[in-house]
């Protein structure tokens, strides 16, 4: 149960607010400044809406919209004025916040970056999207792995940005590193609605982990984002679901202590444990090998599908981006 969105908060609860932010259209530094102010104002709205809210989550592209504009003039820096405004707002309103920036990259295309800031204004998590939504998105693939941080009231937080959540390996890594709540921020549009819902539920169930997920909402005159904020409990059951209403804040109370309890005491369907302990009834401790060829090949840098050479779309030309000649540079 969701505690009626936090109206009846329990001592062990974490109340999360998901902001179905109106899809912005930002092309100039002045518009970027105005959108930053709007996000900070909505954070204040979230606090006024719920005095017990612990964490407010804004969607991917909350400052930039879906234009895929990589103009350096509207890119952000880790220590830039937009981040400073977010930190000040979290401190002022005594609340944790999750935000999205497009981060300037001096070596290539910008990063699609998410941050979690605590209620004292400290940056607790800094994450670069691992899987840009190619071929549509031009962003540099993330090079910081998947960080996890301590959150409010016994929570452990991880962040997956939009398309990241379509890869079960990303959610598994979040849980493997100890996250009991995975945030997923997105700018998805209506054709992805069904995939959005089932992956949010699968990411929760397969990892015994709460997922809190939110998209942009409304139209910028070109695109229509879908809103559809949803919080899914660790058993895969949706707790609350939003509509497509722009700037609506969906709230739910989640219980990280019950996630932690289930991970210890569940036997049947404790799948994240059983992945590394196959068949422990028949074999003491279970088999702890790695029978998955794709994992072994990826570690060796030899990941190749049987149909790899036949894949038709392998660059962004179809969306107006010239093929890149620059190789990936790990941090």
């Amino acid at each position: 149960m969701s505690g009626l969105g936090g109206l009846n908060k329990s001592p062990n609860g974490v109340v999360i607010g998901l902001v179905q932010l109106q899809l912005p259209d930002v092309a100039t530094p002045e518009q970027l400044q105005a959108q930053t102010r709007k996000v900070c104002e909505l954070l204040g709205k979230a606090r006024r809406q719920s005095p017990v809210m612990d964490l407010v989550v804004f969607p991917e592209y909350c400052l930039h919209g879906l234009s895929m504009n990589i103009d350096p003039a509207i890119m952000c820096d880790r220590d830039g004025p937009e981040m400073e405004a977010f930190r000040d707002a979290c401190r002022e309103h005594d609340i944790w916040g999750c935000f999205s920036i497009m981060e300037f990259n001096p070596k290539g295309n910008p990063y699609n970056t998410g941050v979690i800031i605590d209620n004292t204004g400290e940056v607790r998590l800094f994450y670069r999207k691992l899987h840009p939504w190619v071929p549509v998105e031009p962003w540099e693939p993330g090079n910081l792995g998947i960080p996890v941080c301590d959150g409010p009231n016994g929570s452990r937080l991880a962040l997956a940005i939009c398309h990241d959540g379509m890869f079960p390996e990303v959610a598994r890594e979040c849980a493997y590193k100890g996250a009991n709540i995975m945030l997923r921020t997105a700018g998805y549009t209506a054709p992805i609605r069904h995939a959005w819902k089932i992956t949010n539920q699968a990411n929760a169930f397969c990892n015994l982990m709460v997922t809190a997920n939110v998209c942009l909402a409304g139209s910028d005159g070109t695109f229509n984002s879908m809103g559809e904020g949803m919080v899914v409990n660790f058993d895969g059951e949706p707790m609350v679901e939003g509509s497509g209403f722009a700037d609506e804040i969906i709230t739910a109370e989640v219980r990280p202590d019950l996630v932690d309890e289930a991970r210890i005491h569940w036997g049947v369907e404790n799948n994240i444990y059983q992945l590394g302990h196959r068949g422990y009834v028949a074999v003491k401790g279970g088999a702890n090998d790695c029978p998955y060829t794709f994992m072994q090949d990826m570690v060796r840098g030899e990941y190749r599908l049987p149909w790899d050479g036949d894949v038709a779309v392998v660059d962004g030309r179809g969306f107006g981006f010239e093929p890149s000649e620059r190789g990936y540079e790990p941090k």
Side-chain angles (χ1 to χ4, degrees):
M1 66 181 191
S2 68
L4 297 181
L7 292 176
N8 301 297
K9 185 178 179 181
S10 70
N12 295 320
V14 173
V15 176
I16 300 175
L18 303 174
V19 183
Q20 296 181 167
L21 182 76
Q22 167 65 47
L23 170 58
D25 182 10
V26 172
T28 68
E30 293 75 22
Q31 290 172 330
L32 178 63
Q33 293 171 11
Q35 185 64 18
T36 301
R37 288 193 296 271
K38 177 178 179 179
V39 168
C40 293
E41 289 166 0
L42 282 170
L43 186 138
K45 174 189 174 184
R47 168 52 75 225
R48 293 191 300 274
Q49 176 178 324
S50 174
V52 298
M53 189 178 294
D54 297 288
L55 168 66
V56 59
V57 183
F58 288 88
E60 178 192 35
Y61 294 117
C62 70
L63 292 187
H64 291 83
L66 297 178
S67 69
M68 302 304 148
N69 186 342
I70 61 172
D71 180 358
I74 58 170
M75 296 299 104
C76 301
D77 291 317
R78 184 169 186 161
D79 298 315
E82 298 80 19
M83 286 287 291
E84 182 178 0
F86 294 157
R87 294 176 65 189
D88 288 345
C90 289
R91 189 183 303 114
E92 176 186 352
H93 296 289
D94 189 27
I95 197 167
W96 289 61
C98 177
F99 308 94
S100 166
I101 63 173
M102 300 300 116
E103 181 195 358
F104 177 72
N105 173 19
K107 297 183 178 180
N109 284 13
Y111 293 105
N112 184 331
T113 297
V115 298
I116 295 175
I117 299 172
D118 71 16
N119 60 325
T120 71
E122 179 183 351
V123 176
R124 300 295 294 270
L125 184 147
F126 192 87
Y127 174 63
R128 292 169 175 159
K129 186 175 185 178
L130 288 182
H131 296 277
W133 197 40
V134 291
V136 177
E137 293 183 336
W139 315 118
E140 184 86 358
N143 60 357
L144 300 178
I146 297 177
V148 172
C149 71
D150 290 330
N153 212 15
S155 61
R156 288 275 289 166
L157 304 176
L159 173 61
I161 300 176
C162 200
H163 193 49
D164 286 337
M166 296 298 184
F167 295 84
E169 296 82 4
V170 170
R172 177 58 48 84
E173 176 76 354
C174 292
Y176 186 76
K177 295 181 77 170
N180 46 32
I181 300 174
M182 186 186 88
L183 310 179
R184 185 183 183 191
T185 63
Y188 275 137
T189 54
I192 310 300
R193 180 174 285 116
H194 177 68
W196 168 253
K197 291 183 176 182
I198 62 173
T199 52
N200 291 337
Q201 292 183 253
N203 288 337
F205 176 74
C206 292
N207 297 290
L208 296 182
M209 177 172 65
V210 168
T211 66
N213 318 271
V214 66
C215 290
L216 293 166
S219 175
D220 63 359
T222 300
F223 301 103
N224 285 74
S225 285
M226 63 188 189
E228 304 267 346
M230 64 186 302
V231 177
V232 183
N233 211 358
F234 61 89
D235 59 359
E237 287 284 341
M239 301 172 70
V240 296
E241 295 184 71
S243 64
F245 187 70
D247 290 345
E248 182 180 9
I249 302 175
I250 309 302
T251 61
E253 179 189 14
V254 301
R255 291 283 302 274
D257 61 317
L258 296 183
V259 175
D260 297 342
E261 179 182 289
R263 288 174 168 178
I264 293 170
H265 293 291
W266 275 29
V268 174
E269 299 297 343
N270 191 346
N271 297 315
I272 187 168
Y273 175 80
Q274 292 175 14
L275 179 68
H277 302 271
R278 297 185 299 117
Y280 60 66
V281 172
V283 180
K284 183 179 180 180
N288 57 10
D289 58 347
C290 181
Y292 307 104
T293 304
F294 82 93
M295 292 183 182
Q296 298 169 0
D297 287 351
M298 184 170 284
V299 169
R300 290 194 297 262
E302 299 174 359
Y303 184 89
R304 185 175 175 84
L305 301 169
W307 59 92
D308 216 271
D310 297 324
V311 173
V313 181
V314 295
D315 57 42
R317 280 178 291 187
F319 287 84
F321 304 114
E322 290 298 319
S324 177
E325 299 298 327
R326 186 175 56 85
Y328 175 66
E329 298 179 19
K331 186 181 176 187

